[in-house]
Amino acid sequence: MTLFRKTRISTLINIVGMSIAFAAAIILTVQVKWDVTYDDNFDESEKVFRLENSLMGDGLFSTWISRPLIETIRTASPNIEAVGTFSSLGPMVYYKEGHKDSGVSVSVVRIDSTMLSVFPFEWLEGSAANFTTNGTAIISEDWAQKIFANESAIDKIIEDSEGNPVRIIGVFRNTPLNFSMHHDMLEFIGNESIDNQHEFSYNSFIKLRDASQAEQTETMIEDAFLKFYGADDNDTWQVKMRECVRICNLHDAHFERDVRANVMSANKSVIITLTVIAIFLILIAIINFINFAFAEIPFHIKNINTRRVLGESRNSLIGKQLRKAALTALVAFGIAILVVHLVASSSLASYVSGSLNVADNVGIIAFMLAIVVVAAIVAGIAPAIYSTSQPTTMVLKGSYAMSVKGKALRNVLVGLQYVLSFGFILMALFVHIQTKYMIHSDMGFTQANVLQIYCGNKAGGDHEAVTAKLLQNPAIADVTFADGNLVSDQKMGWSRNDGNGDNIYMEVFPVDVNFVKFFGLDIVDGRDFSESDNQSDAGCFIVNENFIQTFPQFEVGKLLNAHTENPAEIIGVMKDFNFKSLQHPMEPLVLFNWGKNIWRPFRVMYVKTVAGADYESVSQYIKETVNAFDPTMPISQIDVHHLDQWIEDMYQSEEKLGNLITIASLVALIIAIIGIIGLVFFETQFLSREIAIRRVNGASVDSILRMINRKYIIMAVASFVVATPLTYMVITTWRSEFAYQAPVSAWIFAVAFALVVAITVAVVTLQSWRAASANPVEALKEN
C-alpha cells in the first residue's frame, strides 16, 4: 500500500485511461463479432452455400434465379444434401382470424419444405411434417407471443390484408439477428412459378454433404445449367455459361461486393478498421501503463534499493510491483465493464449492430480479461526488472529520473500515442466528410417537401382516386406512385435480347405517368409519359443516359421487349439521376409505364407538400386516406416519412462507422492527454530545482511555461509528420470502396494538428503552472 500512497495520482490516472480504452475496445469488438459471425452461428454453417449467377450479363452476380433452374440443380450432384427455395415478401400486416383490430407487422418470407433441411430450426411447437401444403406457415416464438399471447399458435388462422387465410403449423425458437433466415414468419411457397423460367424472383440455398467438395459440386451445377439451356458445341458459349454460375459459402457471401442481393452485406475493410482501432486502443492503454510505471520508478527506487540492502530478494520486489500492476489493471477492467453496461442502456448502443448487454458478450469479456492479465504482466514486468537492477550510485545521485535512457523511452511511448491519436482523429473526420458528401450530394431529382409512403396494393391499385382525395388537402401540392422506393439498392432486374443475339441488363422501375414531372427529372431526348400511354398494349419506356451509353444500339423510337408478347417503345431519354445510394456507380435504368396490361398495382406513394406545411397534420391526413381505401392497413401501421430522411438512413452503416471511429478518436486523445498529464507531473517534480534556478536568475513564468511546452509541441509536430502519410493511405484505401468519393481536403489535417497542439499546450500549461509559479526559494530548500 505504500507504493499506492506515494503514486496515488498516477495510479488513478492509469486506471481512468485503461478503463476507457478497454470499454471502447469491448464495444468495437462486439460490432466486429457481429459481422465475423454472420451466418456462421448455426450447426453445419460451413456446409450451406448461396447459389449465384450472372445470367443477366451486366458483369455482376445476382442471387435472383428462376424456380425451374432451382429444381434442375436438386439432382446435379450426389454431394448436394438439400436445395431450398426462398422468396421475400417483406414486412406485412397479419391479423388473428376475425379480429381486424389485431394487426401486427411481421417479416415474411416464402420457402419450400426443403429449406427446413438446409437451415436448422429448433421447433417449440409443431413439426415440419405438415409444412407441405399451401396456406401454411411457421412463426417465431417472439411473433407468436405478440399475436397469440400465451395461447398455443398451432392450427390458429391468421389473415393478410387481402383476407387470405394462413394456418400456423409450427413455432420455432428465435434465431440470431445476424442470420440470413432471421424472419418471423416462414410461409409455404407451394408450386408458385415452378415452370416459369423467366421469373427470376427467387433465391436458392444449398446444403452440401461435404463442404470440401464445393468446387467439384459447382462444376456439376454448371453442367446442369448447360443441359437446361441446351448443349452447344460452341466452346466460347460453354465457357461463358460456366463463368456465370457459382456457389458461395453463406458466411463468405456476407462480404461479397460483386453481387446483387437484397440482404445485408458487410465491408471487410470496415471490419479490419474497427479491429485495428480496438487493438490500437488497447496498445495505447498499455503504453500509458508502461510509461507511468517507468515514470514512477524515481519515486520508489530508493525504497526498493533500501529493501534490497536489508535483504529482501529481487524476486520478492518484482512480485510486489507485478501485483500492483495486476490490481490496477483488474480495477480498470471492472470499471470498463460498468461503462459498457451503462452504454448498453443508452442511445450510444444504436451505433453497434450487436447487443452490448454484458450477459450476451461473456466470450468477448473473457477474451478481454485475458488480454488485461497479459497486459498487466507485460506492462509491469519490464519496469519491475529495470527498477530492481539499477546501480546504487545512480539511485543515490538521484539521476535516474533525468537519465537519457529514461527520458528517451518515455518520449518514444508518448510519441507513439500522438501518432495513433492523429490517425484516429483524421480518419474520424474523413468518414464524416464522406458520409455527409453522399447524404448532401445532388441526387438529380427533387427531394424538398417530398414524403414517401408505403400504401399497399389496394390503395395503389386505386391510385387515381387516392390522388384525387389527397389533392383536396390544400397543404398537398402533388401526388405520384411507383412500384417501389425511388432510391434503393435493388430494383426489378430485366435481361432482354437486343435483337442481335446479345443480352442486355437493366433495372426497371414502373411508375405513374406524372412521375417524371413530379421529381423534376430532365428529358434530354424524346418525350415524357402521357395519359394516353396508359392505354397502350405493351406500355412504354423512358431510359436514362447511362442506358444509351451502355447500349448504343438503342435510341428513342426503338422497341424493347417488355412484360407482354409485344415489345414496348422507348419514348424518351432522361438525364441520369442517382436511384441508388452513392456507394454504387450509375447503371442502366428504365422507367416503365405498364400500359393497359398492369402486372401489379403500385405500392409506394409520394406526396409533395406546399412550403411550410405542417408535417403532423399532413401525415395524419395521408394515413386516414390510405386507411379509408384499405381498412386492413391500420393507421398505426402506415409509415409516412420524409424522402430525404429515407435517403440519409441508407448511410447508417457509414454513420455508425464514423461515430465509432469518433468515439475511438476521443478515447485515444483522452488517453494520450492522460499520459501527458502524468509525464508533465513527474517531470516537473524533477525539474523543480532547474525551474527555481531559472526564476532566481530572472526568468519569467511565461518563459518557463514556453520551455516546458516546447518539448511537447516538437513531439506533436514529429508525430504529425509520421501520422499524416500513414493515415492518408488508410483514408484513400477506405474511400476506394465508394463510387462517389469526397476529396481528401487539407483542412482536416490542419484541424487535427491544431486540435492536438491546442489541447497539448493547454494541458501542459495547466499542469506546469504550479511548478513554474512556485516560490523558487522554497523549491531550492526542498531540493
Side-chain angles (χ1 to χ4, degrees):
M1 295 302 295
T2 303
L3 294 179
F4 275 107
R5 285 196 297 270
K6 286 188 175 181
T7 58
R8 58 185 179 275
I9 294 177
S10 64
T11 300
L12 178 61
I13 292 174
N14 218 346
I15 288 173
V16 170
M18 287 191 70
S19 60
I20 294 174
F22 275 103
I26 290 171
I27 292 170
L28 293 176
T29 305
V30 169
Q31 179 61 53
V32 170
K33 181 186 175 184
W34 165 274
D35 286 311
V36 169
T37 61
Y38 203 98
D39 279 331
D40 195 23
N41 47 19
F42 58 90
D43 291 341
E44 298 187 313
S45 61
E46 74 282 358
K47 295 182 178 181
V48 179
F49 290 73
R50 186 170 72 186
L51 178 64
E52 300 170 357
N53 71 88
S54 59
L55 294 171
M56 296 297 183
D58 67 333
L60 290 176
F61 279 80
S62 171
T63 60
W64 308 109
I65 197 166
S66 68
R67 289 203 68 185
L69 275 171
I70 296 174
E71 297 304 310
T72 295
I73 68 171
R74 289 191 187 277
T75 57
S77 166
N79 191 39
I80 295 178
E81 181 178 328
V83 177
T85 303
F86 167 94
S87 176
S88 176
L89 296 181
M92 296 183 66
V93 177
Y94 278 84
Y95 311 83
K96 292 171 66 175
E97 185 180 27
H99 296 79
K100 290 300 183 183
D101 59 343
S102 65
V104 178
S105 179
V106 59
S107 171
V108 185
V109 295
R110 308 192 73 191
I111 65 172
D112 58 10
S113 57
T114 54
M115 187 67 83
L116 301 179
S117 299
V118 175
F119 294 102
F121 287 91
E122 184 178 347
W123 293 81
L124 300 180
E125 287 188 280
S127 72
N130 297 323
F131 193 63
T132 55
T133 57
N134 291 335
T136 59
I138 57 176
I139 60 177
S140 70
E141 58 179 314
D142 270 355
W143 202 67
Q145 176 66 29
K146 284 181 182 178
I147 196 165
F148 297 115
N150 296 321
E151 299 178 45
S152 172
I154 299 300
D155 288 330
K156 292 289 195 307
I157 302 297
I158 58 175
E159 298 176 343
D160 64 15
S161 59
E162 303 292 331
N164 299 314
V166 176
R167 182 169 63 91
I168 306 302
I169 59 96
V171 178
F172 58 88
R173 190 176 299 281
N174 294 330
T175 55
L177 293 175
N178 56 343
F179 174 48
S180 286
M181 287 301 291
H182 177 75
H183 300 282
D184 286 321
M185 180 171 168
L186 311 178
E187 186 177 346
F188 185 66
I189 198 170
N191 290 326
E192 176 186 294
S193 300
I194 195 73
D195 297 318
N196 188 349
Q197 61 179 291
H198 302 294
E199 182 59 56
F200 276 56
S201 300
Y202 303 92
N203 292 264
S204 180
F205 298 104
I206 305 168
K207 185 176 182 181
L208 304 184
R209 290 186 171 88
D210 184 355
S212 67
Q213 299 297 311
E215 188 174 341
Q216 294 90 323
T217 305
E218 183 176 270
T219 300
M220 293 182 180
I221 292 174
E222 292 168 359
D223 292 336
F225 268 58
L226 284 169
K227 184 177 180 180
F228 180 86
Y229 282 107
D232 195 307
D233 294 333
N234 187 312
D235 291 340
T236 302
W237 182 86
Q238 290 201 24
V239 170
K240 182 178 179 181
M241 281 297 296
R242 289 189 181 280
E243 289 177 346
C244 73
V245 182
R246 73 185 185 193
I247 58 175
C248 182
N249 176 262
L250 197 53
H251 170 65
D252 297 333
H254 182 57
F255 303 97
E256 286 185 318
R257 309 298 288 174
D258 64 340
V259 62
R260 286 188 174 89
N262 200 20
V263 293
M264 181 179 292
S265 63
N267 189 331
K268 279 190 175 180
S269 64
V270 171
I271 296 171
I272 293 171
T273 299
L274 295 179
T275 302
V276 170
I277 289 173
I279 292 171
F280 280 166
L281 286 177
I282 295 172
L283 180 60
I284 289 176
I286 294 174
I287 288 172
N288 244 17
F289 203 153
I290 296 172
N291 222 349
F292 274 103
F294 272 105
E296 289 175 359
I297 290 175
F299 283 93
H300 53 239
I301 197 167
K302 287 186 178 180
N303 180 54
I304 291 173
N305 278 275
T306 300
R307 290 178 177 275
R308 287 170 62 189
V309 170
L310 294 176
E312 187 169 352
S313 69
R314 185 183 182 194
N315 288 341
S316 174
L317 293 170
I318 291 174
K320 286 181 178 179
Q321 293 190 57
L322 287 179
R323 284 194 292 275
K324 176 195 172 182
L327 182 58
T328 302
L330 290 174
V331 170
F333 187 71
I335 296 173
I337 299 302
L338 177 60
V339 171
V340 172
H341 174 71
L342 295 174
V343 170
S345 58
S346 72
S347 59
L348 294 175
S350 62
Y351 297 160
V352 181
S353 301
S355 168
L356 287 177
N357 292 329
V358 173
D360 296 330
N361 296 289
V362 174
I364 291 176
I365 291 172
F367 174 72
M368 285 293 178
L369 179 59
I371 293 177
V372 167
V373 172
V374 173
I377 294 173
V378 171
I381 192 70
I385 293 174
Y386 195 58
S387 64
T388 57
S389 63
Q390 296 307 306
T392 306
T393 53
M394 178 180 285
V395 176
L396 294 176
K397 290 178 181 178
S399 59
Y400 171 77
M402 303 308 296
S403 68
V404 174
K405 288 184 179 179
K407 289 194 293 184
L409 177 60
R410 294 195 295 272
N411 292 343
V412 169
L413 293 176
V414 172
L416 181 56
Q417 288 180 324
Y418 265 129
V419 170
L420 295 176
S421 297
F422 276 124
F424 286 157
I425 292 170
L426 289 168
M427 190 65 192
L429 286 172
F430 186 76
V431 170
H432 282 291
I433 289 171
Q434 175 66 31
T435 304
K436 295 301 180 186
Y437 173 80
M438 293 188 294
I439 291 174
H440 298 296
S441 289
D442 182 7
M443 301 284 284
F445 56 83
T446 300
Q447 297 182 45
N449 303 320
V450 175
L451 304 176
Q452 179 173 277
I453 308 98
Y454 178 80
C455 62
N457 291 337
K458 283 190 175 180
D462 203 4
H463 63 279
E464 292 179 350
V466 173
T467 298
K469 174 65 175 176
L470 290 174
L471 290 178
Q472 292 177 14
N473 189 322
I476 295 176
D478 202 0
V479 181
T480 194
F481 287 78
D483 187 51
N485 297 318
L486 169 62
V487 181
S488 63
D489 290 344
Q490 182 71 46
K491 287 183 170 58
M492 183 165 54
W494 282 10
S495 178
R496 295 292 186 266
N497 191 291
D498 69 349
N500 298 317
D502 293 325
N503 278 343
I504 65 170
Y505 175 83
M506 54 191 171
E507 294 196 48
V508 182
F509 193 40
V511 298
D512 203 357
V513 291
N514 69 330
F515 186 88
V516 171
K517 182 180 177 181
F518 181 97
F519 282 105
L521 304 178
D522 293 333
I523 301 295
V524 297
D525 190 15
R527 66 173 177 85
D528 190 2
F529 295 122
S530 66
E531 291 290 340
S532 62
D533 292 326
N534 288 332
Q535 304 306 314
S536 64
D537 290 328
C540 54
F541 298 113
I542 294 178
V543 302
N544 67 351
E545 292 173 310
N546 185 270
F547 179 94
I548 297 297
Q549 293 164 4
T550 306
F551 311 117
Q553 63 268 43
F554 289 97
E555 60 185 13
V556 172
K558 290 281 188 178
L559 299 179
L560 180 62
N561 290 334
H563 71 302
T564 66
E565 293 181 359
N566 299 318
E569 180 184 357
I570 298 175
I571 64 168
V573 178
M574 61 185 165
K575 187 176 180 180
D576 286 334
F577 69 91
N578 293 106
F579 58 96
K580 295 185 178 184
S581 59
L582 298 188
Q583 294 101 326
H584 304 280
M586 187 63 63
E587 295 178 345
L589 174 69
V590 170
L591 300 185
F592 183 43
N593 177 282
W594 293 115
K596 62 184 180 182
N597 295 304
I598 298 175
W599 189 358
R600 61 181 175 228
F602 296 124
R603 295 168 294 174
V604 176
M605 175 173 65
Y606 291 92
V607 174
K608 187 181 297 180
T609 64
V610 299
D614 180 67
Y615 168 75
E616 294 299 332
S617 61
V618 171
S619 175
Q620 185 64 24
Y621 184 79
I622 292 170
K623 292 178 180 181
E624 291 173 355
T625 300
V626 172
N627 176 257
F629 281 86
D630 185 0
T632 65
M633 288 190 69
I635 289 178
S636 61
Q637 299 286 338
I638 301 172
D639 186 20
V640 179
H641 51 254
H642 295 280
L643 176 59
D644 51 6
Q645 184 60 52
W646 166 270
I647 295 172
E648 184 173 343
D649 288 344
M650 298 186 74
Y651 302 105
Q652 283 186 351
S653 61
E654 283 74 32
E655 289 190 311
K656 283 183 178 179
L657 174 64
N659 291 329
L660 287 173
I661 294 180
T662 298
I663 292 171
S665 302
L666 293 174
V667 170
L669 189 56
I670 289 170
I671 297 173
I673 291 169
I674 287 172
I676 293 170
I677 290 173
L679 290 181
V680 173
F681 172 77
F682 287 124
E683 291 203 359
T684 52
Q685 305 304 307
F686 298 106
L687 286 173
S688 59
R689 182 177 178 82
E690 179 184 342
I691 293 171
I693 293 172
R694 287 176 178 269
R695 289 292 310 281
V696 169
N697 289 326
S700 65
V701 172
D702 288 346
S703 66
I704 298 296
L705 293 176
R706 283 195 298 271
M707 176 193 75
I708 299 174
N709 268 294
R710 188 179 299 115
K711 167 189 171 180
Y712 291 95
I713 292 174
I714 292 172
M715 193 182 300
V717 171
S719 301
F720 180 75
V721 171
V722 173
T724 296
L726 295 176
T727 309
Y728 181 80
M729 287 191 294
V730 173
I731 286 173
T732 52
T733 300
W734 179 78
R735 186 182 65 160
S736 66
E737 296 285 337
F738 299 91
Y740 296 85
Q741 302 171 2
V744 184
S745 303
W747 70 262
I748 67 172
F749 296 92
V751 167
F753 179 75
L755 176 65
V756 173
V757 170
I759 292 175
T760 298
V761 170
V763 169
V764 173
T765 300
L766 290 173
Q767 189 68 18
S768 307
W769 180 266
R770 182 178 177 183
S773 59
N775 187 332
V777 175
E778 295 298 325
L780 289 172
K781 284 181 180 178
E782 292 178 4
N783 288 275

